[in-house]
Amino acid sequence: MLRDVQEVTTETSVLGTGIAFPMLVAPMAYQRHAHPDGECAMAQGAAAAGTIMCMSTMATSSPAEVGASAPDAPRWYQLYVFRDDGVTRSLVDQAVDAGFRAIVLTVDAPYFGRRERDIRTGWMIPDDPPVPALAAALGGMRQTTVVEHFKLVTAGLSWKDVERISSDSGLPVLVKGVQTAEDALLAVEHGAAGVVVSNHGGRQLDGVAASIEMLPEVVDAVGAETEVLVDGGIRRGTDVAIALALGAHAVLVGRPVLWGLAVDGAAGAQRVLELLRDELALALGLLGCTSPDELTRAHVGRAL
Ligand SMILES: Cc1cc2nc3c(=O)[nH]c(=O)nc-3n(C[C@H](O)[C@H](O)[C@H](O)COP(=O)(O)O)c2cc1C
């Protein structure tokens, strides 16, 4: 209290790239099922709000299309690694050619989680629209369903692949799906530029801790040198503030932005990001902070 908070900024940077607020769009597959303009609109919404979109391997637009729809905006590419090295190489090449600046390597999905709600509703991802990057990597426009997609993903990924993917692509790699201090340290040891503490929105393994619970031990393990991002359940500006106070450099936001996209395309995604930005600015000001990096663990306490 009684700290001059007339000027509050939410601006920050991730891996050296300036962004308007410490939130990025989480990788989410198949966005043209949410809105006909899909990933291209998401890229435009993120760019208009001033942040980075992380595009999924399972995107229903190609890296080139997404790059062209927001050419000046920084963008990251989420990678699933395939059993066939040639497929993975082709995907990475497409991302590099389209100007993606970092690889977010998802490591918590060697198998597709058993998602009982999906099973109950019987909802299946239709084959159309296809996943063009994967179709190109597989050679020709062969279309595959989500279950088939995941059958092509390797369960044989290991830590040495982190270094290989970084040197093959020439891009920094963030490891997404880290849940413990031990794995965070292994990620750093194997050349990761950052880690994303995540349990895939709770949709992979039953019984794992919430990512916000795992965050402090990861931050303490890797130290200030490694950027730690977190996702899962960020729904309010105060959620972002809590994550930053616990040591996250930035957060990824998934479903809220997807719902924004579904409602109103690029403008809807932008609006959700801006609502979260404004809520964060308010939380910072009310916590006596003028910028995200003034948040500390002293600003949070465990609810009894
Ligand atoms: C519809 C949907 C699709 C997703 N697809 C991917 C994906 O392709 N790759 C990935 O690494 N994570 C994927 N995720 C997980 C998100 O990146 C994120 O970890 C998770 O949704 C938690 O954030 P949230 O609670 O803000 O949604 C997906 C999540 C959703 C909801």
Side-chain angles (χ1 to χ4, degrees), residues 94-279:
Q94 291 180 58
V96 170
D97 290 349
F100 285 75
R101 292 194 194 168
I103 304 265
V104 175
L105 177 67
T106 300
V107 299
D108 58 12
Y111 300 101
F112 191 60
R114 183 177 158 82
R115 301 176 183 176
E116 288 175 351
R117 196 181 301 168
D118 293 357
I119 296 168
R120 243 189 337 264
T121 60
W123 191 72
M124 304 282 285
I125 305 250
D127 291 355
D128 191 56
V131 175
L134 193 52
L138 289 168
M141 287 306 287
R142 195 180 119 206
Q143 301 197 358
T144 46
T145 64
V146 62
V147 173
E148 285 169 331
H149 286 165
F150 271 89
K151 282 191 187 144
L152 301 173
V153 169
T154 181
L157 201 63
S158 68
W159 286 108
K160 63 183 180 336
D161 296 309
V162 175
E163 264 153 340
R164 182 179 55 79
I165 289 161
S166 183
S167 69
D168 285 358
S169 64
L171 296 178
V173 170
L174 294 102
V175 177
K176 175 175 183 275
V178 165
Q179 301 183 2
T180 61
E182 290 83 354
D183 277 352
L185 286 171
L186 279 167
V188 174
E189 203 178 294
H190 289 86
V195 295
V196 183
V197 178
S198 174
N199 60 20
H200 216 107
R203 301 183 319 147
Q204 282 296 99
L205 179 64
D206 268 359
V208 292
S211 47
I212 199 72
E213 299 279 349
M214 308 160 187
L215 176 64
E217 73 167 65
V218 170
V219 170
D220 290 344
V222 301
E225 245 89 288
T226 304
E227 293 190 9
V228 177
L229 283 72
V230 64
D231 76 15
I234 301 287
R235 301 293 178 266
R236 295 273 176 188
T238 43
D239 297 331
V240 185
I242 291 165
L244 300 184
L246 291 173
H249 200 80
V251 303
L252 307 186
V253 184
R255 280 159 284 195
V257 200
L258 190 64
W259 308 156
L261 177 78
V263 170
D264 199 15
Q270 179 184 349
R271 175 89 179 115
V272 169
L273 289 166
E274 289 176 348
L275 283 169
L276 286 165
R277 176 202 62 197
D278 292 350
E279 289 175 4

Side-chain angles (χ1 to χ4, degrees), residues 8-13 18-22 50 277 280 284 290-293:
V8 175
T9 179
T10 56
E11 284 176 21
T12 188
S13 65
I19 48 177
F21 44 83
R277 176 202 62 197
L280 173 63
L284 286 172
T290 58
S291 70
D293 56 16

Side-chain angles (χ1 to χ4, degrees), residues 23-100:
M23 300 168 220
L24 291 78
V25 177
M28 286 174 290
Y30 309 112
Q31 292 180 13
R32 283 173 67 197
H33 296 294
H35 187 279
D37 300 335
E39 290 82 3
C40 292
M42 186 68 96
Q44 288 164 346
T51 193
I52 294 171
M53 171 197 177
C54 183
M55 171 179 166
S56 168
T57 290
M58 304 303 191
T60 43
S61 305
S62 69
E65 288 166 330
V66 172
S69 54
D72 300 326
R75 44 191 170 274
W76 290 2
Y77 186 76
Q78 177 269 324
L79 184 67
Y80 283 126
V81 176
F82 287 76
R83 281 191 275 137
D84 179 338
D85 277 347
V87 170
T88 311
R89 254 198 309 276
S90 162
L91 291 168
V92 170
D93 288 349
Q94 291 180 58
V96 170
D97 290 349
F100 285 75

